[in-house]
Amino acid sequence: MARTAPTEFADESELEHQSATTLLGRLISAFTELVRNEVALAKAELAESSTRAKSGVVALIGAVSTLLAGSLAVIAAIILGLAKVMEPWLAALTVGVLISVVGLFLLRGARKKLVPPHLEIDRTRTAVRQDVEVLARRS
């Protein structure tokens, strides 16, 4: 985010004739505005990161509810079907293990979306560096 020098500082001969108090007041005012703008930029970037985290939570809820609904709806029928060819306890165990494996894959995908992103304040960091460079050149 490139910033241009305010037009009020453009004429250096005008700056030489102003009092130190006026210049100090203008400097404090400009610095206050700069800090306000940088804080606003940081807030916007943090809000964007939290939106991504919310979408991860939604994905996790979807995965868990799908796992539960699918397991409960199909488990009884599969166990009863397998109970005709093997012991009922073995049929229940087999189906339970298979559904758990599917659930683990769903959970793994949801957890990837929930990994907290590093705080992406790159734009703020870049803008602050540029501001420091501009202030360093002026002094």
Side-chain angles (χ1 to χ4, degrees):
M1 183 167 160
R3 300 217 170 130
T4 58
T7 55
E8 58 187 89
F9 293 114
D11 188 10
E12 288 187 27
S13 64
E14 181 183 319
L15 288 177
E16 292 172 1
H17 298 301
Q18 293 181 356
S19 70
T21 342
T22 305
L23 290 174
L24 184 60
R26 290 171 72 185
L27 176 64
I28 290 171
S29 174
F31 181 75
T32 303
E33 182 181 349
L34 174 66
V35 168
R36 229 181 271 128
N37 289 341
E38 297 304 337
V39 167
L41 179 60
K43 283 181 182 179
E45 289 178 338
L46 289 174
E48 186 178 321
S49 292
S50 70
T51 301
R52 276 194 228 115
K54 288 176 189 174
S55 72
V57 170
V58 169
L60 179 63
I61 290 170
V64 169
S65 63
T66 301
L67 175 65
L68 180 62
S71 296
L72 294 176
V74 176
I75 196 166
I78 293 174
I79 291 172
L80 290 173
L82 286 175
K84 294 186 184 239
V85 293
M86 62 176 71
E87 292 292 321
W89 68 268
L90 186 57
L93 179 65
T94 303
V95 171
V97 167
L98 289 174
I99 289 176
S100 295
V101 168
V102 171
L104 287 174
F105 280 112
L106 290 173
L107 184 62
R108 218 169 115 201
R111 282 185 62 203
K112 286 180 184 177
K113 292 182 181 179
L114 275 178
V115 171
H118 71 285
L119 294 178
E120 296 180 12
I121 56 171
D122 297 331
R123 293 178 291 191
T124 302
R125 201 174 301 132
T126 302
V128 168
R129 282 189 190 127
Q130 290 173 348
D131 295 338
V132 167
E133 289 172 8
V134 167
L135 290 173
R137 281 184 285 199
R138 287 185 184 226
S139 55

